[in-house]
Amino acid sequence: MSFLQDYLRGASSSAPLPPPPPLTSLPPLSSLSPPLLSSLSSHLISSPSLPSSSLSSLLSSASSLLSLPSPPPPFPSHLSLLLGSISLHSSSAYPLLISLFQKHLSLIASAPSFLPEALAGLGYALLRVPPRSHYFSQIVSFLFTVWRDSGIASLENGVMVFKLVDWLVSSFIGSGYVEKVSAFCYEITNLEKCGEKRYAEFAVVMACCGTLRALKVGSSRYKFELNPEMKESVEIAIGVFSEKAILGYEKDDVSLLIKCIVLGLARCGQIGFNPNIVKSLCIALTNEVFPLKLLIQSSLQNSNGDALTKLKEHMEGILFKEAGAVTGVLCNQYSVSDDPTKEFVESLMWDYSHELYSSLRSAILVHKGKSNNLLLSELERIAEAAFLMVVVIANEVSKSRLNPRPGVGAKPPVSVRMLVAFSCVEYLRRVRLPEYTDAVRRAVLTIQDDVALSSDFLDSMPSYDELTGKLDCEDMVEDLYHWSKDDVQTARALFYLRVIPTFVSLIPSSLFAMKVASTMFLYMQHPNEKVARASHSVLVSFMSSSNEKDDEERLSLKEQLAFYYVQRAVEAYPGVTPFEGLASGVVALVRNLPAGSPGTFYCTYSLISKAKSLFDEATARSPNMWKFWEESSEPCKKVVDLLLRLLSLVDIQVLPYLLREVAGLVSQLPKDGQDALVLPYLLREVAGLVSQLPKDGQDALLGEMYVYVAESDDVTRKPVLVSWLQSLSYLSSQPVSNPVAISCL
């Protein structure tokens, strides 16, 4: 059988109880050990009835124990449990229980490990005491005054009150004691009376939340006819405590109160909208559940074992483990909030994200520099949980404010602040979350068609000076800082680089030159390939963009960017510049610059020069590389392939120059290098030509080729040409020839 004291403690008894003493020959209670008292209480709770003589003996012995001037601390708590269990059989236990708490309240509070027994005694007594009896109110009062002057008020004890009240009210409902439910609700919602009796506020608010949960479960399980006013009065009381917690948060010690409010709400289920409840949830999440600014400051000031212990204790705390549930309550409240309350939530979350960004930058740079990897790992675990909180709330905001369907409450400007917030926490994104994807998509769709919003988003991007300047952090050696090692800042910049291509055509060229270009070129030479590729993608998107309002200015900027891009990208290849990024950038330049553009000529010249230097390095390193040229992954081969690809892309004014330069490059190669380089390209081009001829034209041309190859004395090329001709002949002989397959030979 499960007993209330075990439920309140959160687990079954750690050790089995001894057999209870016989009621027929019961020794004085003062001679019984606490385990024997617990065993006796459990026997009384599970017994359906008791002889009157046994009850009289128990009551007499309990009365004698109460007369002791100062019993040992465990005894008052166990005596409370015993009297509560006796009250299930006799109402004569009520005055004794009240007397016990009146005389020994401080002793009960001084033994916190035995509080479950003391509270269980009150709970059992309240099960049977009539609601109109003066005993009812007196016993209820001890539930909220035991914490008053003892210094034992805590979140864990608040949870104990929640569980006791949930159990108690559920029992009332299950037994059909509607009047008792009403009487108990009155006791905890009459806030004036609570103030007069000096009830502990954290305990009262937990009792309110426990009552709400019991009402919700009981109304569905027992078909309990709930009085709406009863539930409303409890919710109003929680709102009043929330308001007090908000007003006193900065100046009074109400941290425990606000923690109990949000934890109780997380466990009691849906509650009606109240702006003060919403604000208390926000404050608790940012300051109590995820107090990262304080935790980071503490870790920087004291990076030894104490800081690590503090972080682990925080993660093992009840509130941190309930972070998801608390966030869910906030989202439910936000969805039905009025505009001012929604704005409060949004502003607090965006500001928190920026604050988290600033704090996390310092922490990661300092702790990595000091090799405090374990400490940093624990900090990041808390920060990742905070990231999830921001994402879930932002997704709720996006559904309310950025829904594509027109409706009341839509506020497109929210999209900018939301994206800025996401950029601040981008470093913490470890997995792909549908909530993240949906929120970002809605925000991006909102700004990509709005010039003002897209400009606002660009204005929020850190400037070049901010990105490359020294971080203002006392705990870090300045000489160790470099922008490319600032992982948090890099993640933020990467977020901007990924979003900008979605609305690049809206960006005026002057704004692109002022805000984007310098950052784009800076991160092109970032050692992280993912970051570098994103920078190349920004250039490609701008080169491919058009805007009727500033076409001439945009074209002029493209010309300017082309020179600097080629210089910066080519000089860092191979190494920092990823070839895919370089290739996409070069192709974008060639396709989008006007015919005969100096930028295109410079691009061709730079690639030829790079190819020459790479050939020199490659042949010095591997003189026989031409034998395996087709399978080679040498950088020089990639550049040559890019040059050959440009032959079909450059305009007619640039083509002669490119052909001349390629010919010059080939002429400087050794004989086997020329063959390896030119022959595959020539064969591909001829195959492409054949694929475009009619069937009789293909046959005629193939016949001439066979004759030419048969008469050739070139033993180097002949095997390659024979194999190529056989493949080409086979593909051409098919009933339906495949031009794509032929051109790929």
Side-chain angles (χ1 to χ4, degrees):
M1 182 176 180
S2 179
F3 298 102
L4 179 57
Q5 60 270 27
D6 297 329
Y7 171 61
L8 297 181
R9 186 171 274 110
S12 300
S13 300
S14 56
L17 294 173
L23 294 177
T24 54
S25 56
L26 187 69
L29 293 179
S30 58
S31 66
L32 298 180
S33 65
L36 278 173
L37 284 173
S38 292
S39 180
L40 178 58
S41 301
S42 300
H43 174 66
L44 296 175
I45 294 166
S46 56
S47 298
S49 62
L50 292 174
S52 57
S53 59
S54 299
L55 286 172
S56 298
S57 175
L58 280 168
L59 290 167
S60 175
S61 186
S63 180
S64 300
L65 189 56
L66 273 173
S67 63
L68 294 175
S70 55
F75 273 94
S77 296
H78 285 84
L79 187 55
S80 169
L81 177 60
L82 180 63
L83 289 170
S85 61
I86 294 173
S87 71
L88 297 174
H89 303 278
S90 171
S91 61
S92 299
Y94 300 145
L96 293 178
L97 183 64
I98 291 169
S99 176
L100 169 68
F101 273 85
Q102 287 174 338
K103 289 179 64 176
H104 301 302
L105 189 65
S106 59
L107 276 176
I108 292 172
S110 68
S113 58
F114 296 104
L115 278 171
E117 282 75 18
L119 296 182
L122 296 175
Y124 286 128
L126 286 169
L127 275 181
R128 296 296 170 84
V129 63
R132 297 186 182 184
S133 166
H134 64 283
Y135 295 136
F136 184 86
S137 181
Q138 284 183 287
I139 295 172
V140 168
S141 68
F142 294 129
L143 177 60
F144 305 115
T145 55
V146 69
W147 326 96
R148 192 164 58 197
D149 303 314
S150 58
I152 58 170
S154 67
L155 190 58
E156 289 74 16
N157 287 337
V159 172
M160 196 153 48
V161 174
F162 176 94
K163 293 164 75 173
L164 171 60
V165 173
D166 179 24
W167 175 88
L168 190 62
V169 177
S170 295
S171 299
F172 293 162
I173 294 172
S175 302
Y177 295 152
V178 178
E179 189 178 359
K180 265 194 173 181
V181 177
S182 179
F184 187 81
C185 287
Y186 174 78
E187 289 289 334
I188 61 175
T189 59
N190 187 343
L191 300 184
E192 185 176 346
K193 181 180 178 181
C194 293
E196 291 174 1
K197 292 189 174 184
R198 294 176 61 201
Y199 284 0
E201 292 176 336
F202 85 95
V204 177
V205 81
M206 276 302 212
C208 289
C209 293
T211 301
L212 279 181
R213 186 182 186 281
L215 291 174
K216 179 182 178 183
V217 174
S219 61
S220 59
R221 182 181 297 173
Y222 302 107
K223 308 302 180 185
F224 175 69
E225 293 185 8
L226 178 65
N227 183 352
E229 294 181 359
M230 194 186 303
K231 179 175 180 289
E232 185 180 350
S233 66
V234 178
E235 292 184 352
I236 289 173
I238 297 174
V240 171
F241 283 117
S242 298
E243 183 179 20
K244 183 172 184 178
I246 295 165
L247 295 174
Y249 191 76
E250 296 295 335
K251 51 188 178 181
D252 299 327
D253 185 16
V254 292
S255 174
L256 176 59
L257 177 59
I258 205 165
K259 287 178 182 177
C260 286
I261 290 170
V262 299
L263 184 59
L265 290 171
R267 296 188 172 196
C268 74
Q270 190 68 31
I271 186 172
F273 164 68
N274 184 303
N276 293 315
I277 287 177
V278 176
K279 293 175 183 177
S280 66
L281 286 163
C282 283
I283 292 171
L285 279 169
T286 54
N287 291 277
E288 302 292 346
V289 183
F290 301 114
L292 277 159
K293 184 177 181 180
L294 293 176
L295 292 174
I296 287 172
Q297 286 176 349
S298 175
S299 74
L300 292 175
Q301 293 166 3
N302 183 14
S303 59
N304 57 21
D306 293 341
L308 184 60
T309 301
K310 188 174 181 180
L311 291 175
K312 289 184 175 179
E313 286 176 352
H314 183 79
M315 286 188 288
E316 290 168 1
I318 301 172
L319 201 55
F320 184 79
K321 292 178 179 178
E322 295 279 358
V326 175
T327 304
V329 175
L330 177 56
C331 288
N332 290 334
Q333 286 278 305
Y334 175 90
S335 65
V336 294
S337 294
D338 53 27
D339 263 7
T341 306
K342 284 184 175 180
E343 289 170 3
F344 176 87
V345 175
E346 294 155 11
S347 181
L348 195 67
M349 284 301 135
W350 312 151
D351 291 344
Y352 176 79
S353 300
H354 201 279
E355 185 179 87
L356 176 57
Y357 167 75
S358 301
S359 301
L360 202 58
R361 276 187 72 196
S362 304
I364 289 177
L365 286 167
V366 171
H367 290 310
K368 277 189 175 179
K370 295 180 179 179
S371 298
N372 295 328
N373 297 328
L374 187 56
L375 184 63
L376 185 58
S377 174
E378 298 301 309
L379 265 178
E380 288 192 355
R381 284 179 62 191
I382 300 175
E384 286 170 18
F387 166 79
L388 294 176
M389 179 265 294
V390 171
V391 168
V392 170
I393 294 172
N395 185 46
E396 193 65 38
V397 172
S398 74
K399 288 189 285 188
S400 173
R401 300 297 206 182
L402 308 178
N403 197 313
R405 293 173 297 178
V408 178
K411 287 200 171 183
V414 169
S415 59
V416 175
R417 293 205 66 188
M418 182 186 297
L419 289 173
V420 173
F422 275 140
S423 76
C424 290
V425 297
E426 178 68 10
Y427 172 80
L428 299 166
R429 186 167 65 92
R430 302 286 190 263
V431 294
R432 188 176 181 86
L433 298 169
E435 294 87 353
Y436 173 90
T437 305
D438 291 345
V440 171
R441 179 180 54 80
R442 289 190 187 101
V444 169
L445 286 174
T446 303
I447 70 169
Q448 69 181 15
D449 294 323
D450 191 308
V451 176
L453 293 180
S454 59
S455 297
D456 289 344
F457 178 67
L458 281 186
D459 287 337
S460 71
M461 185 168 67
S463 66
Y464 180 88
D465 291 339
E466 289 178 76
L467 293 170
T468 56
K470 292 180 179 178
L471 181 65
D472 184 17
C473 180
E474 298 177 358
D475 300 282
M476 187 179 66
V477 181
E478 290 187 3
D479 295 342
L480 296 179
Y481 180 79
H482 189 266
W483 64 270
S484 66
K485 297 179 181 178
D486 192 339
D487 295 338
V488 179
Q489 178 179 265
T490 297
R492 187 179 185 196
L494 178 59
F495 182 88
Y496 280 92
L497 293 173
R498 284 173 168 168
V499 173
I500 286 172
T502 64
F503 61 89
V504 70
S505 59
L506 292 184
I507 305 174
S509 52
S510 57
L511 184 60
F512 187 93
M514 181 174 63
K515 289 292 296 185
V516 182
S518 56
T519 300
M520 174 184 72
F521 286 125
L522 174 69
Y523 282 96
M524 271 183 194
Q525 295 200 344
H526 193 280
N528 186 312
E529 185 176 331
K530 178 172 62 177
V531 178
R533 281 203 310 266
S535 298
H536 286 274
S537 296
V538 173
L539 178 104
V540 170
S541 65
F542 181 75
M543 284 292 174
S544 307
S545 70
S546 60
N547 190 320
E548 294 179 357
K549 295 181 179 179
D550 68 344
D551 261 351
E552 291 187 9
E553 189 178 352
R554 184 170 293 257
L555 185 58
S556 173
L557 179 60
K558 288 179 181 180
E559 291 273 11
Q560 297 173 46
L561 294 178
F563 283 92
Y564 193 62
Y565 170 74
V566 171
Q567 176 190 347
R568 198 164 178 83
V570 172
E571 73 180 3
Y573 178 80
V576 174
T577 300
F579 178 75
E580 294 78 7
L582 174 65
S584 63
V586 167
V587 170
L589 294 181
V590 169
R591 282 178 170 168
N592 293 284
L593 291 178
S597 166
T600 308
F601 278 100
Y602 180 70
C603 177
T604 303
Y605 166 77
S606 299
L607 288 174
I608 291 290
S609 300
K610 173 60 71 169
K612 289 177 181 177
S613 64
L614 291 175
F615 270 131
D616 292 340
E617 295 173 10
T619 50
R621 189 169 55 249
S622 177
N624 297 322
M625 71 171 181
W626 305 111
K627 295 181 180 179
F628 313 99
W629 178 250
E630 283 300 312
E631 296 80 23
S632 173
S633 59
E634 286 283 351
C636 57
K637 182 178 187 301
K638 293 181 178 181
V639 175
V640 169
D641 287 343
L642 178 58
L643 283 167
L644 295 178
R645 183 183 176 192
L646 293 183
L647 290 174
S648 61
L649 295 177
V650 296
D651 62 87
I652 196 64
Q653 297 183 41
V654 179
L655 183 58
Y657 173 76
L658 178 58
L659 289 171
R660 187 170 63 251
E661 291 298 312
V662 170
L665 173 65
V666 173
S667 67
Q668 296 176 26
L669 297 177
K671 188 72 168 61
D672 53 352
Q674 294 178 15
D675 293 343
L677 184 63
V678 177
L679 187 59
Y681 173 74
L682 181 61
L683 294 179
R684 281 197 304 273
E685 292 301 307
V686 172
L689 173 64
V690 171
S691 69
Q692 298 175 23
L693 298 176
K695 194 71 175 66
D696 52 352
Q698 292 180 9
D699 294 340
L701 192 55
L702 283 170
E704 291 184 16
M705 289 180 185
Y706 269 117
V707 172
Y708 173 79
V709 171
E711 295 175 351
S712 174
D713 297 326
D714 191 337
V715 294
T716 302
R717 295 180 177 84
K718 193 167 186 176
V720 176
L721 291 173
V722 169
S723 175
W724 174 77
L725 270 174
Q726 288 173 341
S727 299
L728 181 58
S729 178
Y730 170 77
L731 289 172
S732 300
S733 66
Q734 299 304 302
V736 179
S737 61
N738 189 337
V740 176
I742 294 175
S743 63
C744 290
L745 285 174

